[in-house]
Amino acid sequence: MSNTVRWAAPELAPPPPPPPQEPVRHMPSVEELQAIEEAAHAEGYARGHAEGVAAGQAEVRRIAAQMEGILDAFTRPLARLDAEVGDALGDLAVRIAGALLRRSYAAEPALLEALVREALDLAGSDQRQVELRLHPDDLAMLSPQLVSLQGVRLAGDSTLARGDLRLHADSVRIDGSLSARLNAALQRIMAGAGA
């Protein structure tokens, strides 16, 4: 017997698939590269411009708020100073007018007598008890003209300045002090001027 070997055909496997091919790249032209660069530049410029404008507006708002705060800090003391100066000028005007009127009353007693009669008229004739208080020097000067007043008690009051008077009746109190009269006149003037 012979040794025979049977021959078998080798198994043939299909060949491996070829590796995937990369698509053929098309290299951009110089013009295309320039267009891409210009588009990127324009986009970057627009974005940078928008960010810069927003930052600039925020800075302007911050500076404006800071300036408003500074101006407010300047105007508050000035408004207070303005009011203080106005009050001081009003007080000075009252003092000057008071000094001039006191001299006028001393030189012309009829002015003070007219003021006394006006206060008595304001109190009204229906008052039973009327007390008229004057500075002692004014009372001495006006006594001859006032002694004939009926139902009026005259009293000297050294706490009053020359030209001042106070009238007390049953239901009426009149402060005829020079400063009160001048302050009332000043208030009327200020109200008329719209101040």
Side-chain angles (χ1 to χ4, degrees):
M1 264 197 96
S2 92
N3 253 346
T4 50
V5 178
R6 197 174 163 145
W7 180 79
E11 281 190 41
L12 293 176
Q21 291 186 356
E22 293 184 24
V24 178
R25 287 192 170 186
H26 167 48
M27 293 301 283
S29 68
V30 172
E31 291 83 19
E32 290 173 331
L33 286 174
Q34 285 177 339
I36 292 170
E37 181 182 357
E38 287 173 4
H41 181 268
E43 180 183 336
Y45 177 82
R47 185 179 301 144
H49 183 267
E51 290 172 0
V53 167
Q57 288 174 340
E59 182 67 11
V60 165
R61 283 192 298 273
R62 185 189 68 77
I63 290 172
Q66 188 176 22
M67 289 176 65
E68 284 178 15
I70 291 169
L71 289 174
D72 187 44
F74 278 132
T75 57
R76 253 186 273 129
L78 289 177
R80 188 178 67 237
L81 181 63
D82 189 35
E84 289 174 7
V85 167
D87 291 345
L89 286 175
D91 186 48
L92 179 62
V94 166
R95 287 178 187 224
I96 291 170
L100 293 173
L101 281 173
R102 282 188 181 92
R103 287 185 184 159
S104 297
Y105 289 144
E108 190 65 42
L111 294 173
L112 187 55
E113 181 185 356
L115 180 65
V116 167
R117 294 199 185 279
E118 183 181 340
L120 290 169
D121 288 343
L122 283 174
S125 60
D126 60 339
Q127 302 293 325
R128 289 179 297 170
Q129 296 288 336
V130 176
E131 179 183 61
L132 177 63
R133 303 180 77 71
L134 297 165
H135 185 276
D137 292 341
D138 290 341
L139 184 59
M141 181 177 63
L142 291 180
S143 285
Q145 291 87 349
L146 301 178
V147 291
S148 63
L149 295 175
Q150 302 222 346
V152 177
R153 186 171 79 82
L154 301 174
D157 187 343
S158 59
T159 64
L160 296 175
R162 296 286 311 259
D164 289 352
L165 69 89
R166 288 218 167 83
L167 189 130
H168 300 276
D170 293 330
S171 61
V172 177
R173 299 275 189 261
I174 296 177
D175 180 6
S177 64
L178 199 51
S179 62
R181 294 190 323 258
L182 291 173
N183 280 322
L186 181 62
Q187 293 303 319
R188 283 192 301 274
I189 290 169
M190 297 298 280

